[in-house]
C-alpha cells in the first residue's frame, strides 16, 4: 500500500515539473524580435533622402544650357540678411520649399555660390521698407541650396515669379523663376519657359526644384 502511494506521488510530481518547464520556455524570444523590427523600419530614411539628392544632382546633362538672364526689376533692395527661411508667420501665400543646385555648364556642383532671393507675397505685394521675403544664402559643399518661402501672387502686368541673383567667382547673374500652369505666363513680356520651376503640389509644403546653371565651364 505504502509503495503504491509513493509511486502515485512520484508520478504527480513528475507531471507538475514537466508542465512548469513547458510554460516558461518560449518567453525570452519576444523581446529580441521587437527590437529587430524597430531597427529595420528606421534604416531606410536617410538612404532615401541621400538617393533623392543624388538623383537631383545627376539630372544635369553636360553641356548644360546656362540660365536665361532677365531684368532685376524695380523692387530689389541692397544688403538683405543672410536667410534661407523667408517664410514667416503671417506672410500671405501657399508655403513652398524650393531646393536644387548651382552647377557649371559641365554639371559640376559649385560650393559657396551666393543666391540672393526676393519676391512678392501671395497677394502680389513686396515689402519695400523691410526685408520680408528677402534674403541670401550660400550653397553647401555639394552645391545644394534650400529656400523656404511662399508661392508669390500676381500683380498687374506680371505673372508669378521669384527674383534672384546668383554670384559665382565674383560674377553675378540676375534672373527670375516662374511657375508652371499659370495662365498669365504667356502674356508676361519677361517670362521665359527655360526658367520654370518643377513643382509638386501633392506635398505639404508644396515642393519645387530648380538647377541654376551658370555660364562657367
Amino acid at each position: 500500500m505504502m509503495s503504491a502511494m509513493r509511486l502515485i506521488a512520484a508520478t504527480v510530481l513528475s507531471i507538475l515539473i514537466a508542465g512548469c518547464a513547458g510554460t516558461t520556455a518560449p518567453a525570452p524570444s519576444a523581446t529580441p524580435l521587437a527590437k529587430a523590427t524597430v531597427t529595420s523600419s528606421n534604416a531606410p530614411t536617410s538612404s532615401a533622402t541621400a538617393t533623392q539628392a543624388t538623383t537631383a544632382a545627376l539630372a544635369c546633362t553636360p553641356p548644360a544650357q546656362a540660365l536665361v538672364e532677365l531684368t532685376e526689376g524695380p523692387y530689389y533692395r541692397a544688403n538683405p540678411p543672410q536667410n534661407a527661411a523667408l517664410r514667416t508667420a503671417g506672410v500671405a501665400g501657399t508655403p513652398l520649399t524650393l531646393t536644387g543646385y548651382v552647377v557649371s555648364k559641365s554639371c559640376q556642383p559649385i560650393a559657396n555660390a551666393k543666391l540672393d532671393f526676393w519676391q512678392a507675397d501671395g497677394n502680389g505685394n513686396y515689402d519695400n521698407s523691410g526685408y520680408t521675403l528677402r534674403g541670401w544664402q550660400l550653397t553647401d559643399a555639394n552645391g545644394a541650396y534650400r529656400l523656404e518661402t511662399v508661392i508669390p501672387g500676381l500683380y498687374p502686368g506680371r505673372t508669378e515669379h521669384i527674383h534672384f541673383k546668383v554670384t559665382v567667382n565674383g560674377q553675378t547673374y540676375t534672373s527670375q523663376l516662374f511657375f508652371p500652369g499659370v495662365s498669365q505666363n504667356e502674356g508676361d513680356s519677361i517670362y521665359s519657359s527655360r526658367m520654370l520651376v518643377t513643382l509638386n503640389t501633392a506635398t505639404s509644403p508644396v515642393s519645387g526644384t530648380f538647377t541654376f546653371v551658370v555660364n562657367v565651364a
Side-chain angles (χ1 to χ4, degrees), residues 27 31 48 81 88 131 140 149 158 196 208-209:
T31 302
T88 55
Y131 288 98
D140 67 14
T149 185
R158 291 309 316 273
L196 275 174
T209 59

Side-chain angles (χ1 to χ4, degrees), residues 158-173:
R158 291 309 316 273
T159 191
E160 297 173 359
H161 63 283
I162 296 176
H163 294 269
F164 71 88
K165 293 177 181 287
V166 54
T167 302
V168 175
N169 298 329
Q171 176 67 46
T172 298
Y173 307 86

Side-chain angles (χ1 to χ4, degrees), residues 136-158:
W136 64 272
Q137 60 179 282
L138 298 176
T139 55
D140 67 14
N142 299 312
Y145 72 90
R146 177 186 175 89
L147 179 70
E148 296 178 12
T149 185
V150 298
I151 295 178
L154 302 166
Y155 57 89
R158 291 309 316 273

Side-chain angles (χ1 to χ4, degrees), residues 32-59:
L33 288 174
K35 288 182 179 177
T37 302
V38 171
T39 301
S40 62
S41 67
N42 288 340
T45 304
S46 59
S47 174
T49 302
T51 302
Q52 186 177 15
T54 303
T55 302
L58 296 176

Side-chain angles (χ1 to χ4, degrees), residues 70-92:
L70 299 170
T71 179
E72 177 183 283
Y75 300 121
Y76 179 70
R77 295 196 72 212
N79 304 313
Q82 183 175 4
N83 186 12
L86 307 187
R87 183 174 66 244
T88 55
V91 172

Side-chain angles (χ1 to χ4, degrees), residues 94-152:
T94 301
L96 167 70
T97 299
L98 182 67
T99 59
Y101 298 83
V102 175
V103 301
S104 66
K105 291 192 295 182
S106 59
C107 294
Q108 295 303 305
I110 301 174
N112 294 315
K114 182 180 180 181
L115 280 165
D116 185 352
F117 295 100
W118 72 102
Q119 65 172 91
D121 66 13
N123 295 325
N125 299 317
Y126 287 86
D127 176 10
N128 292 316
S129 57
Y131 288 98
T132 301
L133 295 176
R134 299 172 184 268
W136 64 272
Q137 60 179 282
L138 298 176
T139 55
D140 67 14
N142 299 312
Y145 72 90
R146 177 186 175 89
L147 179 70
E148 296 178 12
T149 185
V150 298
I151 295 178

